[in-house]
């Protein structure tokens, strides 16, 4: 069952995608145009972002909004990573 709107779920998913991006929260806050303190509140699970802000973050990470807002298993994340890698390989082949 998903926990849409759950601050803890958002926090966990956001941490995962931030780590995967290799960027720090300050850099991402600047890229997204959000205050650093607001991004920190989301990461720490103190606040929940508005849907328009979730959309900005999801677009940046190349994921669905639900990947940030809903509970995901590690298996789901690994499957998404494999799909992303496959899609990147296909795009690379088309460029050649």
């Amino acid at each position: 069952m998903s926990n849409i709107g759950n601050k803890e779920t958002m926090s966990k998913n956001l941490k995962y995608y931030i780590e995967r991006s290799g960027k720090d929260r300050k850099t991402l806050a600047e890229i997204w145009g959000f205050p650093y303190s607001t991004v920190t509140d989301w990461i720490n699970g103190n606040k929940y972002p508005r849907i328009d802000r979730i959309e900005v973050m999801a677009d940046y990470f190349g994921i669905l909004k639900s990947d940030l807002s809903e509970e995901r298993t590690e298996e789901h994340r690994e499957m998404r990573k494999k799909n992303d890698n496959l899609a990147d390989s296909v795009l690379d082949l088309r460029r050649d």
Side-chain angles (χ1 to χ4, degrees), residues 52-86:
D52 60 319
R53 293 184 172 201
I54 294 171
E55 188 167 6
V56 168
M57 293 184 287
D59 287 349
Y60 176 80
F61 292 129
I63 59 175
L64 302 172
K65 291 180 292 224
S66 62
D67 288 329
L68 289 171
S69 62
E70 297 178 11
E71 188 68 39
R72 297 290 190 220
T73 63
E74 192 58 36
E75 179 180 306
H76 177 271
R77 288 189 183 117
E78 289 301 318
M79 183 173 49
R80 174 164 288 292
K81 213 184 294 187
K82 287 178 185 173
N83 288 342
D84 289 348
N85 290 340
L86 179 60

